[in-house]
Coordinates of all heavy atoms in Angstrom, one line a residue:
M1 N 107.8 144.4 179.0 CA 107.8 143.8 177.7 C 108.1 144.9 176.6 O 107.6 146.0 176.7 CB 106.4 143.1 177.4 CG 106.0 143.0 176.0 SD 104.4 142.2 175.8 CE 103.5 142.4 177.2
R2 N 109.0 144.6 175.7 CA 109.4 145.6 174.7 C 108.8 145.2 173.4 O 108.8 144.0 173.0 CB 110.9 145.6 174.5 CG 111.4 146.6 173.5 CD 112.9 146.8 173.5 NE 113.4 147.6 174.6 CZ 113.3 148.9 174.6 NH1 112.8 149.6 173.7 NH2 113.8 149.6 175.7
V3 N 108.1 146.2 172.8 CA 107.4 146.0 171.5 C 107.8 147.1 170.5 O 108.3 148.1 171.0 CB 105.9 145.9 171.6 CG1 105.5 144.7 172.5 CG2 105.3 147.2 172.2
T4 N 107.6 146.9 169.2 CA 107.8 147.9 168.2 C 106.5 148.5 167.8 O 105.6 147.7 167.4 CB 108.6 147.3 167.0 OG1 109.8 146.8 167.5 CG2 108.9 148.4 166.0
L5 N 106.4 149.8 167.8 CA 105.2 150.5 167.3 C 105.6 151.1 165.9 O 106.6 151.8 165.8 CB 104.7 151.5 168.3 CG 104.5 151.0 169.7 CD1 104.0 152.2 170.5 CD2 103.5 149.9 169.7
K6 N 104.7 151.0 164.9 CA 104.9 151.6 163.6 C 103.7 152.5 163.4 O 102.6 152.1 163.6 CB 105.1 150.6 162.5 CG 106.4 149.7 162.7 CD 106.5 148.8 161.5 CE 107.9 148.1 161.6 NZ 108.2 147.4 160.4
Y7 N 104.0 153.7 162.8 CA 102.9 154.6 162.5 C 103.0 155.0 161.0 O 104.0 155.2 160.5 CB 103.1 155.9 163.3 CG 103.2 155.6 164.8 CD1 104.5 155.7 165.4 CD2 102.1 155.4 165.6 CE1 104.6 155.4 166.8 CE2 102.2 155.1 167.0 CZ 103.5 155.2 167.6 OH 103.6 155.0 168.9
F8 N 101.8 155.1 160.4 CA 101.7 155.3 159.0 C 100.8 156.5 158.7 O 99.9 156.8 159.5 CB 101.2 154.1 158.2 CG 102.2 152.9 158.3 CD1 102.1 152.0 159.3 CD2 103.1 152.8 157.4 CE1 102.9 150.9 159.4 CE2 104.0 151.7 157.4 CZ 103.9 150.8 158.5
G9 N 101.1 157.2 157.6 CA 100.3 158.3 157.2 C 100.1 159.4 158.2 O 101.1 159.9 158.8
L10 N 98.9 159.9 158.4 CA 98.5 160.9 159.3 C 99.0 160.6 160.7 O 99.4 161.4 161.5 CB 97.0 161.1 159.3 CG 96.5 162.1 160.4 CD1 97.0 163.5 160.1 CD2 95.0 162.1 160.4
L11 N 99.0 159.3 161.1 CA 99.4 158.9 162.4 C 100.9 159.1 162.7 O 101.3 159.5 163.8 CB 99.0 157.4 162.7 CG 97.5 157.1 162.5 CD1 97.3 155.6 162.6 CD2 96.7 157.9 163.4
A12 N 101.7 158.9 161.6 CA 103.1 159.2 161.7 C 103.3 160.7 161.9 O 104.2 161.2 162.6 CB 103.9 158.7 160.5
E13 N 102.5 161.5 161.2 CA 102.6 163.0 161.4 C 102.2 163.4 162.8 O 102.9 164.3 163.4 CB 101.6 163.7 160.4 CG 102.1 163.5 158.9 CD 101.1 164.1 158.0 OE1 100.3 165.0 158.4 OE2 101.1 163.7 156.8
I14 N 101.3 162.8 163.4 CA 100.9 163.1 164.8 C 102.0 162.7 165.8 O 102.3 163.5 166.7 CB 99.6 162.3 165.2 CG1 98.4 162.9 164.3 CG2 99.3 162.5 166.7 CD1 97.1 162.0 164.5
T15 N 102.6 161.6 165.6 CA 103.6 161.1 166.5 C 105.0 161.7 166.2 O 105.9 161.6 167.0 CB 103.8 159.6 166.5 OG1 104.2 159.2 165.2 CG2 102.4 158.9 166.9
H16 N 105.2 162.2 165.0 CA 106.5 162.8 164.6 C 107.5 161.6 164.4 O 108.7 161.9 164.6 CB 107.0 163.9 165.4 CG 106.1 165.1 165.5 ND1 105.9 165.9 164.4 CD2 105.3 165.5 166.5 CE1 105.0 166.8 164.8 NE2 104.6 166.6 166.0
C17 N 107.1 160.4 164.2 CA 108.0 159.3 164.0 C 107.3 158.2 163.2 O 106.0 158.1 163.2 CB 108.6 158.8 165.3 SG 107.5 157.9 166.3
N18 N 108.1 157.4 162.5 CA 107.5 156.3 161.8 C 107.5 155.0 162.6 O 106.7 154.1 162.4 CB 108.2 156.0 160.5 CG 108.1 157.2 159.5 OD1 107.0 157.7 159.4 ND2 109.1 157.6 158.9
E19 N 108.5 154.9 163.5 CA 108.7 153.6 164.3 C 109.4 154.0 165.6 O 110.3 154.8 165.6 CB 109.5 152.7 163.4 CG 109.8 151.4 164.1 CD 110.5 150.4 163.1 OE1 110.2 150.4 161.9 OE2 111.4 149.7 163.7
E20 N 109.0 153.2 166.6 CA 109.7 153.3 167.9 C 109.6 152.0 168.7 O 108.6 151.3 168.5 CB 109.1 154.5 168.7 CG 107.7 154.3 169.2 CD 107.1 155.4 170.0 OE1 107.9 156.1 170.7 OE2 105.9 155.7 170.0
Q21 N 110.6 151.7 169.5 CA 110.5 150.6 170.4 C 110.1 151.1 171.8 O 110.7 152.2 172.2 CB 111.8 149.9 170.4 CG 112.1 149.1 169.1 CD 113.2 148.1 169.3 OE1 113.8 148.0 170.3 NE2 113.3 147.2 168.3
V22 N 109.2 150.5 172.4 CA 108.8 151.0 173.7 C 108.7 149.8 174.7 O 108.5 148.6 174.3 CB 107.4 151.6 173.7 CG1 107.4 152.9 172.8 CG2 106.3 150.7 173.2
E23 N 109.0 150.1 175.9 CA 108.9 149.2 177.0 C 107.5 149.4 177.7 O 107.3 150.5 178.2 CB 110.0 149.4 178.0 CG 110.1 148.4 179.1 CD 110.6 147.0 178.6 OE1 111.4 147.0 177.7 OE2 110.2 146.0 179.2
L24 N 106.7 148.4 177.6 CA 105.3 148.5 178.2 C 105.3 148.3 179.7 O 106.0 147.4 180.2 CB 104.4 147.6 177.5 CG 104.2 147.8 176.0 CD1 103.3 146.7 175.4 CD2 103.7 149.2 175.6
N25 N 104.4 149.0 180.4 CA 104.2 148.7 181.8 C 103.6 147.3 181.9 O 103.0 146.8 181.0 CB 103.2 149.7 182.4 CG 103.8 151.1 182.5 OD1 105.0 151.3 182.5 ND2 102.9 152.1 182.5
A26 N 103.8 146.7 183.0 CA 103.4 145.3 183.3 C 101.9 145.1 183.1 O 101.4 144.1 182.8 CB 103.8 144.8 184.6
D27 N 101.1 146.2 183.4 CA 99.6 146.1 183.3 C 99.1 146.2 181.9 O 97.9 146.1 181.6 CB 99.0 147.2 184.2 CG 99.3 148.6 183.8 OD1 100.4 148.8 183.2 OD2 98.5 149.5 184.1
V28 N 100.0 146.5 180.9 CA 99.6 146.6 179.5 C 99.8 145.3 178.8 O 101.0 144.9 178.5 CB 100.3 147.8 178.7 CG1 99.9 147.8 177.3 CG2 100.0 149.1 179.4
T29 N 98.8 144.4 178.7 CA 99.0 143.1 178.2 C 98.2 142.8 176.9 O 98.4 141.7 176.4 CB 98.5 142.1 179.3 OG1 97.2 142.3 179.6 CG2 99.4 142.2 180.6
T30 N 97.3 143.7 176.5 CA 96.5 143.5 175.3 C 96.6 144.7 174.4 O 97.1 145.8 174.8 CB 95.0 143.3 175.7 OG1 94.5 144.5 176.3 CG2 94.8 142.1 176.7
L31 N 96.1 144.5 173.2 CA 96.1 145.6 172.3 C 95.2 146.8 172.8 O 95.5 147.9 172.6 CB 95.6 145.2 170.9 CG 96.6 144.4 170.0 CD1 96.0 143.9 168.8 CD2 97.8 145.3 169.7
L32 N 94.1 146.4 173.5 CA 93.3 147.5 174.0 C 94.1 148.3 175.0 O 94.0 149.5 175.0 CB 92.0 146.9 174.7 CG 91.0 147.8 175.2 CD1 90.5 148.7 174.1 CD2 89.9 147.1 175.9
G33 N 94.8 147.7 175.9 CA 95.7 148.4 176.8 C 96.7 149.3 176.1 O 97.0 150.4 176.5
L34 N 97.3 148.7 175.1 CA 98.3 149.5 174.3 C 97.6 150.7 173.6 O 98.2 151.8 173.7 CB 99.0 148.6 173.3 CG 99.9 149.3 172.4 CD1 101.1 150.0 173.1 CD2 100.4 148.4 171.3
K35 N 96.5 150.5 173.1 CA 95.7 151.5 172.4 C 95.4 152.7 173.4 O 95.6 153.8 173.1 CB 94.4 151.0 171.9 CG 93.6 152.0 171.1 CD 92.3 151.2 170.5 CE 91.4 152.2 169.9 NZ 90.2 151.6 169.3
S36 N 95.0 152.3 174.6 CA 94.8 153.3 175.6 C 96.0 154.1 176.0 O 96.0 155.3 176.1 CB 94.2 152.6 176.9 OG 94.0 153.6 177.9
T37 N 97.2 153.4 176.1 CA 98.5 154.0 176.4 C 98.9 155.0 175.3 O 99.3 156.1 175.6 CB 99.5 152.9 176.6 OG1 99.2 152.1 177.7 CG2 100.9 153.6 176.8
V38 N 98.7 154.6 174.0 CA 99.1 155.4 172.9 C 98.2 156.6 172.8 O 98.6 157.8 172.6 CB 99.1 154.6 171.6 CG1 99.2 155.6 170.4 CG2 100.2 153.6 171.6
E39 N 96.9 156.4 173.1 CA 95.9 157.6 173.0 C 96.2 158.5 174.2 O 95.9 159.7 174.1 CB 94.5 157.1 173.0 CG 94.1 156.4 171.7 CD 92.7 155.9 171.7 OE1 92.0 155.9 172.7 OE2 92.3 155.5 170.6
H40 N 96.7 158.1 175.3 CA 97.1 158.9 176.4 C 98.3 159.8 176.0 O 98.3 161.0 176.3 CB 97.4 158.1 177.6 CG 97.7 159.0 178.8 ND1 96.8 159.7 179.5 CD2 98.9 159.2 179.4 CE1 97.4 160.4 180.5 NE2 98.7 160.1 180.5
R41 N 99.3 159.2 175.3 CA 100.5 159.9 174.9 C 100.2 160.9 173.8 O 100.8 161.9 173.7 CB 101.5 158.9 174.4 CG 102.3 158.2 175.4 CD 103.3 157.2 174.8 NE 104.3 157.9 174.0 CZ 105.0 157.3 173.1 NH1 104.8 156.1 172.8 NH2 105.9 158.0 172.4
F42 N 99.2 160.5 172.9 CA 98.9 161.3 171.7 C 97.4 161.5 171.7 O 96.7 160.7 171.0 CB 99.4 160.6 170.4 CG 100.8 160.3 170.4 CD1 101.3 159.0 170.6 CD2 101.8 161.3 170.2 CE1 102.6 158.7 170.5 CE2 103.2 161.0 170.2 CZ 103.6 159.7 170.4
P43 N 96.8 162.4 172.4 CA 95.4 162.6 172.5 C 94.7 162.7 171.2 O 93.5 162.4 171.0 CB 95.2 163.8 173.4 CG 96.5 163.9 174.2 CD 97.6 163.4 173.3
T44 N 95.4 163.2 170.1 CA 94.7 163.4 168.8 C 94.3 162.0 168.3 O 93.4 162.0 167.5 CB 95.7 164.1 167.8 OG1 96.1 165.3 168.4 CG2 95.1 164.4 166.5
F45 N 94.9 161.0 168.7 CA 94.5 159.6 168.2 C 93.1 159.3 168.6 O 92.4 158.6 167.9 CB 95.4 158.5 168.8 CG 96.6 158.2 168.0 CD1 97.5 159.2 167.5 CD2 97.0 156.9 167.8 CE1 98.6 158.8 166.8 CE2 98.1 156.5 167.1 CZ 98.9 157.5 166.6
Q46 N 92.6 159.9 169.7 CA 91.2 159.6 170.1 C 90.2 160.2 169.1 O 89.1 159.7 169.0 CB 91.0 160.3 171.5 CG 91.8 159.7 172.6 CD 91.7 160.4 173.9 OE1 90.8 161.2 174.1 NE2 92.6 160.1 174.8
K47 N 90.6 161.2 168.3 CA 89.7 161.8 167.4 C 90.0 161.3 166.0 O 89.4 161.9 165.0 CB 89.8 163.3 167.4 CG 89.5 163.9 168.8 CD 89.8 165.4 168.7 CE 90.3 165.9 170.1 NZ 91.0 167.1 170.0
T48 N 90.9 160.3 165.8 CA 91.3 159.9 164.5 C 90.9 158.4 164.3 O 91.1 157.6 165.2 CB 92.8 160.0 164.4 OG1 93.2 161.3 164.7 CG2 93.3 159.7 163.0
A49 N 90.4 158.1 163.1 CA 90.0 156.7 162.8 C 91.3 156.0 162.4 O 92.1 156.5 161.7 CB 89.0 156.7 161.7
Y50 N 91.5 154.8 163.0 CA 92.7 154.0 162.6 C 92.4 152.5 162.9 O 91.5 152.2 163.6 CB 93.9 154.5 163.3 CG 93.9 154.4 164.8 CD1 94.4 153.3 165.4 CD2 93.5 155.5 165.6 CE1 94.4 153.2 166.8 CE2 93.5 155.4 166.9 CZ 93.9 154.2 167.6 OH 93.9 154.2 168.9
S51 N 93.2 151.7 162.2 CA 93.2 150.3 162.5 C 94.5 149.9 163.1 O 95.5 150.6 163.0 CB 93.0 149.5 161.2 OG 91.8 149.8 160.5
I52 N 94.5 148.7 163.7 CA 95.7 148.2 164.3 C 96.0 146.8 163.7 O 95.2 146.0 163.5 CB 95.6 148.0 165.8 CG1 95.3 149.4 166.4 CG2 96.8 147.4 166.4 CD1 95.1 149.3 167.9
A53 N 97.3 146.6 163.3 CA 97.8 145.3 162.8 C 98.8 144.8 163.8 O 99.7 145.6 164.3 CB 98.4 145.4 161.5
L54 N 98.7 143.5 164.2 CA 99.7 142.9 165.1 C 100.5 141.9 164.2 O 99.9 140.9 163.7 CB 98.9 142.2 166.2 CG 99.8 141.4 167.2 CD1 100.8 142.2 167.9 CD2 98.9 140.6 168.2
N55 N 101.8 142.1 164.1 CA 102.6 141.2 163.4 C 102.1 141.0 161.9 O 102.0 139.9 161.4 CB 102.8 139.9 164.1 CG 103.5 140.1 165.4 OD1 104.4 140.9 165.6 ND2 103.0 139.3 166.4
Q56 N 101.7 142.1 161.3 CA 101.3 142.2 159.9 C 99.9 141.6 159.7 O 99.6 141.3 158.5 CB 102.3 141.6 159.0 CG 103.6 142.3 159.0 CD 104.6 141.7 158.1 OE1 104.4 140.7 157.4 NE2 105.8 142.4 158.0
A57 N 99.1 141.5 160.7 CA 97.7 141.0 160.5 C 96.7 141.9 161.2 O 96.9 142.2 162.4 CB 97.6 139.6 161.0
L58 N 95.7 142.4 160.5 CA 94.7 143.2 161.1 C 94.0 142.4 162.2 O 93.8 141.2 162.0 CB 93.7 143.7 160.1 CG 94.2 144.7 159.1 CD1 93.1 145.0 158.1 CD2 94.6 146.0 159.8
C59 N 93.7 143.0 163.3 CA 93.1 142.2 164.5 C 92.2 143.1 165.4 O 92.1 144.3 165.2 CB 94.3 141.7 165.3 SG 95.5 142.9 165.8
N60 N 91.6 142.4 166.3 CA 90.8 143.0 167.3 C 91.6 143.5 168.5 O 92.7 143.0 168.7 CB 89.7 142.0 167.8 CG 88.7 141.7 166.7 OD1 88.4 142.5 165.8 ND2 88.3 140.4 166.7
D61 N 91.0 144.4 169.3 CA 91.7 144.9 170.5 C 92.0 144.0 171.6 O 92.8 144.3 172.5 CB 90.9 146.1 171.0 CG 90.8 147.3 170.1 OD1 91.6 147.3 169.1 OD2 90.0 148.2 170.3
D62 N 91.3 142.8 171.6 CA 91.4 141.9 172.8 C 92.6 140.9 172.7 O 92.7 140.1 173.6 CB 90.1 141.2 173.0 CG 89.7 140.4 171.8 OD1 90.3 140.5 170.7 OD2 88.7 139.6 171.9
L63 N 93.4 141.0 171.7 CA 94.5 140.0 171.6 C 95.6 140.4 172.6 O 95.9 141.5 172.9 CB 95.1 140.1 170.2 CG 94.2 139.4 169.1 CD1 94.9 139.6 167.7 CD2 94.0 138.0 169.4
A64 N 96.2 139.3 173.1 CA 97.3 139.5 174.0 C 98.6 139.9 173.3 O 98.9 139.4 172.2 CB 97.5 138.2 174.8
L65 N 99.4 140.7 174.0 CA 100.7 141.1 173.4 C 101.8 140.2 174.0 O 101.7 139.6 175.1 CB 101.0 142.5 173.8 CG 100.1 143.6 173.2 CD1 100.4 144.9 173.9 CD2 100.2 143.6 171.7
K66 N 102.9 140.0 173.1 CA 104.1 139.2 173.6 C 105.3 140.1 173.3 O 105.3 141.0 172.5 CB 104.2 137.9 172.7 CG 103.0 137.0 172.7 CD 103.2 135.8 171.9 CE 103.7 135.9 170.5 NZ 102.8 136.6 169.5
E67 N 106.4 139.7 174.0 CA 107.7 140.3 173.8 C 108.0 140.3 172.3 O 107.8 139.3 171.6 CB 108.7 139.5 174.6 CG 110.1 140.0 174.4 CD 110.4 141.3 175.2 OE1 109.7 141.6 176.2 OE2 111.3 142.1 174.8
A68 N 108.5 141.4 171.8 CA 109.0 141.6 170.4 C 107.9 141.7 169.4 O 108.2 141.7 168.2 CB 110.0 140.5 170.0
D69 N 106.6 141.8 169.8 CA 105.6 142.0 168.8 C 105.8 143.3 168.1 O 106.4 144.3 168.6 CB 104.2 142.1 169.5 CG 103.6 140.7 169.8 OD1 104.0 139.7 169.1 OD2 102.6 140.6 170.6
V70 N 105.3 143.4 166.8 CA 105.3 144.6 166.0 C 103.8 145.0 165.8 O 103.0 144.2 165.3 CB 106.0 144.3 164.7 CG1 105.9 145.6 163.8 CG2 107.4 143.9 164.9
I71 N 103.5 146.2 166.3 CA 102.2 146.7 166.2 C 102.2 147.9 165.3 O 102.9 148.9 165.5 CB 101.6 147.1 167.6 CG1 101.6 145.9 168.5 CG2 100.2 147.7 167.5 CD1 102.8 145.8 169.4
A72 N 101.3 147.9 164.2 CA 101.2 149.0 163.3 C 99.9 149.7 163.5 O 98.9 149.1 163.6 CB 101.3 148.4 161.8
F73 N 100.0 151.0 163.5 CA 98.8 151.9 163.6 C 98.6 152.4 162.2 O 99.4 153.2 161.6 CB 99.0 153.0 164.6 CG 99.1 152.5 166.0 CD1 100.3 152.0 166.5 CD2 98.0 152.5 166.8 CE1 100.3 151.5 167.8 CE2 98.0 152.0 168.1 CZ 99.2 151.5 168.6
L74 N 97.4 152.0 161.6 CA 97.2 152.3 160.2 C 96.0 153.3 160.0 O 94.9 153.1 160.6 CB 96.8 151.0 159.5 CG 97.8 149.9 159.7 CD1 97.2 148.6 159.2 CD2 99.1 150.2 158.9
P75 N 96.2 154.3 159.2 CA 95.1 155.2 158.9 C 94.1 154.6 158.0 O 94.4 153.5 157.4 CB 95.8 156.4 158.2 CG 97.0 155.8 157.5 CD 97.4 154.7 158.5
P76 N 92.9 155.2 157.9 CA 91.9 154.6 156.9 C 92.6 154.5 155.5 O 93.3 155.4 155.1 CB 90.8 155.6 157.0 CG 91.0 156.4 158.2 CD 92.4 156.4 158.5
F77 N 92.2 153.5 154.8 CA 92.7 153.4 153.4 C 91.5 152.8 152.6 O 90.6 152.2 153.1 CB 93.9 152.5 153.3 CG 93.8 151.2 154.0 CD1 93.3 150.1 153.4 CD2 94.2 151.0 155.3 CE1 93.2 148.8 154.0 CE2 94.1 149.8 156.0 CZ 93.6 148.7 155.3
A78 N 91.6 153.1 151.3 CA 90.5 152.7 150.4 C 91.1 152.0 149.2 O 92.2 152.4 148.8 CB 89.7 153.9 150.0
G79 N 90.4 151.1 148.6 CA 90.9 150.4 147.4 C 90.6 151.3 146.2 O 89.9 152.3 146.3
G80 N 91.0 150.9 145.1 CA 90.7 151.7 143.9 C 91.1 151.2 142.6 O 91.8 150.3 142.3

């Protein structure tokens, strides 16, 4: 399954990119699985607070992924 990953703020600095398309292994079917995959590729993510949005909606890790989903990794943000 091919999905688009977007990184913002500090997370883009860690990955050295703002966006990438990736082909996920067949065993990666949920956001939790994707999170684990990304944290394996970029170990600094494990020590960084961030939220995940799936198709522009903040969500929990247990949601299933589909072909062409867009997943955004968002650093902490505050209103003001």
Side-chain angles (χ1 to χ4, degrees):
M1 157 180 19
R2 183 170 281 283
V3 298
T4 301
L5 306 181
K6 295 186 174 192
Y7 308 100
F8 294 89
L10 173 65
L11 304 174
E13 292 176 21
I14 293 169
T15 62
H16 300 288
C17 71
N18 294 320
E19 181 175 319
E20 65 179 331
Q21 289 196 352
V22 296
E23 186 72 31
L24 298 177
N25 292 336
D27 61 336
V28 179
T29 60
T30 64
L31 281 175
L32 184 60
L34 175 62
K35 183 177 175 179
S36 177
T37 298
V38 170
E39 289 181 353
H40 181 74
R41 282 181 60 204
F42 305 106
T44 305
F45 269 48
Q46 295 174 15
K47 301 177 214 158
T48 306
Y50 61 90
S51 299
I52 299 175
L54 175 62
N55 300 322
Q56 300 183 353
L58 291 175
C59 54
N60 295 326
D61 293 345
D62 59 351
L63 288 178
L65 295 171
K66 305 182 305 296
E67 179 75 25
D69 276 343
V70 177
I71 301 95
F73 292 83
L74 308 167
F77 50 89

